[in-house]
């Protein structure tokens, strides 16, 4: 079956290709927004999301060998491929056999998930008076 123009897979591929092509300085700007980090996270495949969530609250680098041990032996190749894909997206960094999340992405994804940090990406919380009952006519 031929892929349709505008399909979800095509959109995800296009976004991934775009992010891979961005220079580091622009990635830093994109990753400085909690909303952008959350959107990128949501576009990742399931294994990529699992890897990100497993590293999100770790402040120290992990050995790549340890990361591949999170999967059964028959799936370790796939995990290594996803780590490579996340590196190309500049979400992970690797050096001397260790991997870690991009610190800007990690901080802003934490903020997006916990509601911390600056609220400018998602708007500002309402601080006005709370109405006890909402009139249905007002909602129409």
């Amino acid at each position: 079956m031929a892929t349709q123009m505008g399909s979800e897979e095509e959109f995800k591929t296009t976004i991934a290709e775009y992010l891979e092509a961005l220079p580091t300085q622009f990635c830093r700007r994109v990753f400085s927004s909690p909303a952008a980090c959350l959107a990128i996270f949501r576009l990742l495949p399931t294994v990529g999301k699992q890897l990100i969530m497993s590293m999100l609250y770790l402040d120290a680098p992990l050995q790549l060998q340890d990361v591949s041990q999170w999967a059964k032996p028959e799936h370790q190749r796939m995990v290594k491929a996803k780590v490579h894909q996340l590196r190309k997206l500049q979400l992970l960094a690797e050096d001397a056999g260790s991997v870690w999340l991009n610190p800007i992405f990690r901080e802003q994804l934490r903020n997006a998930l916990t509601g911390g940090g600056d609220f400018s990406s998602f708007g500002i919380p309402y601080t006005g008076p709370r109405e006890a009952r909402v009139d249905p006519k007002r909602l129409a």
Side-chain angles (χ1 to χ4, degrees), residues 96-135:
S98 295
V99 293
W100 60 92
L101 276 177
N102 177 311
I104 299 168
F105 178 81
R106 183 182 70 210
E107 178 184 352
Q108 296 307 323
L109 183 59
R110 283 181 187 177
N111 287 338
L113 296 175
T114 61
D118 181 15
F119 289 99
S120 62
S121 292
F122 294 104
I124 56 171
Y126 179 71
T127 57
R130 183 174 176 174
E131 296 179 23
R133 181 173 159 91
V134 176
D135 182 21

Side-chain angles (χ1 to χ4, degrees), residues 42-129:
R42 287 178 175 168
L43 290 172
L44 294 174
T46 305
V47 175
K49 290 178 188 173
Q50 183 65 40
L51 290 170
I52 296 289
M53 289 305 293
S54 297
M55 294 183 201
L56 189 59
Y57 289 95
L58 298 177
D59 294 324
L62 286 169
Q63 292 296 317
L64 185 56
Q65 186 178 36
D66 294 339
V67 173
S68 65
Q69 295 298 316
W70 291 346
K72 292 181 178 181
E74 61 267 20
H75 300 293
Q76 288 179 0
R77 177 180 257 183
M78 178 182 61
V79 170
K80 287 182 182 180
K82 292 302 175 193
V83 166
H84 179 71
Q85 180 186 23
L86 294 173
R87 282 184 47 228
K88 286 179 20 181
L89 294 172
Q90 301 183 43
L91 300 177
L92 286 183
E94 181 181 357
D95 186 39
S98 295
V99 293
W100 60 92
L101 276 177
N102 177 311
I104 299 168
F105 178 81
R106 183 182 70 210
E107 178 184 352
Q108 296 307 323
L109 183 59
R110 283 181 187 177
N111 287 338
L113 296 175
T114 61
D118 181 15
F119 289 99
S120 62
S121 292
F122 294 104
I124 56 171
Y126 179 71
T127 57

